[in-house]
Amino acid sequence: METIFVEIKEWVEFILNNLPGKIGILVRRNYYKNFFKGSCHKAIIQRGFITGFPRNIDLGDNIFIGLNCKIFACHESKVKIGDNFECNNNVMINARGSGEIIIGENVLIGPNVVIRSNNHKFGIVKKPIKEQGMTSGKIKIEDDVWIGSNVVILPNTIIGKGAIVAAGAVVTSDVESFSIVGGVPAKQIGIRS
């Protein structure tokens, strides 16, 4: 019986998540504020949105989520997003496992960004990677950060206040406040002054 309710919920959310225009935005805001933590006041959630375990996702006020974005948590993980957050299309914020993703206020994220607090284990060469399990970590993005398009942010990293991550970068270690980083792996290429 439970699987029927899960499937009905998926159908309802599919329909709601693909309603066009201002009515679709209003319907999504009112629907998801019942599931997410936080108020979601003035939230604009565009079409194609997918989420998992919204009760462990805390959304601030005045947020914008572009087309086809995904935000995932699970019973052991959490995602917290601060006020005045904006993300462009096709962004995935994924804290499944026991990971955690904390995003501060006034953060801008470009299209096609992946923020993932877990990763595959691969230490045993004679065992398929998909059978080795996952590692989990924490990602913290402080206030007033701009993340360019096609960036990947990996677990156990902190992006400091006011930093800029250039398009296409892969963040594997901490980024200092007000620095500009780029490349694979991301390295400092400048300082905001």
Side-chain angles (χ1 to χ4, degrees):
M1 192 64 146
E2 183 178 324
T3 56
I4 292 171
F5 290 119
V6 169
E7 187 153 338
I8 290 170
K9 181 179 179 284
E10 287 177 358
W11 275 99
V12 168
E13 288 181 357
F14 175 81
I15 293 166
L16 294 177
N17 288 335
N18 288 289
L19 290 172
K22 292 180 181 178
I23 291 173
I25 290 168
L26 184 63
V27 167
R28 282 185 288 279
R29 178 186 305 149
N30 287 312
Y31 176 77
Y32 281 114
K33 76 179 180 181
N34 296 311
F35 297 101
F36 289 124
K37 290 182 180 178
S39 70
C40 295
H41 183 66
K42 294 185 183 177
I44 295 174
I45 300 172
Q46 296 285 354
R47 288 180 289 116
F49 180 67
I50 299 174
T51 190
F53 218 88
R55 283 175 174 67
N56 280 1
I57 299 171
D58 187 339
L59 297 180
D61 292 337
N62 195 35
I63 63 164
F64 176 88
I65 298 173
L67 294 168
N68 302 314
C69 289
K70 300 165 184 67
I71 303 176
F72 298 118
C74 72
H75 64 283
E76 294 179 17
S77 65
K78 71 177 182 177
V79 173
K80 181 173 175 47
I81 297 175
D83 297 342
N84 305 311
F85 168 81
E86 292 184 22
C87 72
N88 211 308
N89 303 336
N90 303 311
V91 170
M92 181 175 70
I93 300 170
N94 187 339
R96 287 188 171 153
S98 59
E100 179 179 46
I101 297 173
I102 307 294
I103 299 175
E105 296 184 353
N106 301 303
V107 171
L108 299 171
I109 297 179
N112 307 312
V113 168
V114 175
I115 302 171
R116 188 172 166 102
S117 67
N118 49 3
N119 215 337
H120 292 279
K121 293 180 182 177
F122 54 87
I124 304 168
V125 177
K126 294 183 179 188
K127 186 176 184 180
I129 293 170
K130 70 178 189 171
E131 293 177 7
Q132 294 186 44
M134 303 286 284
T135 61
S136 295
K138 181 176 179 178
I139 295 172
K140 183 174 184 186
I141 300 171
E142 296 182 349
D143 296 343
D144 189 32
V145 168
W146 176 22
I147 298 169
S149 62
N150 301 304
V151 166
V152 176
I153 301 173
L154 296 176
N156 301 313
T157 54
I158 298 172
I159 299 178
K161 180 179 180 178
I164 297 172
V165 181
V170 177
V171 178
T172 60
S173 60
D174 292 351
V175 174
E176 291 186 28
S177 295
F178 303 104
S179 64
I180 303 168
V181 299
V184 179
K187 303 269 188 235
Q188 186 170 314
I189 57 175
I191 296 280
R192 293 180 63 202
S193 55

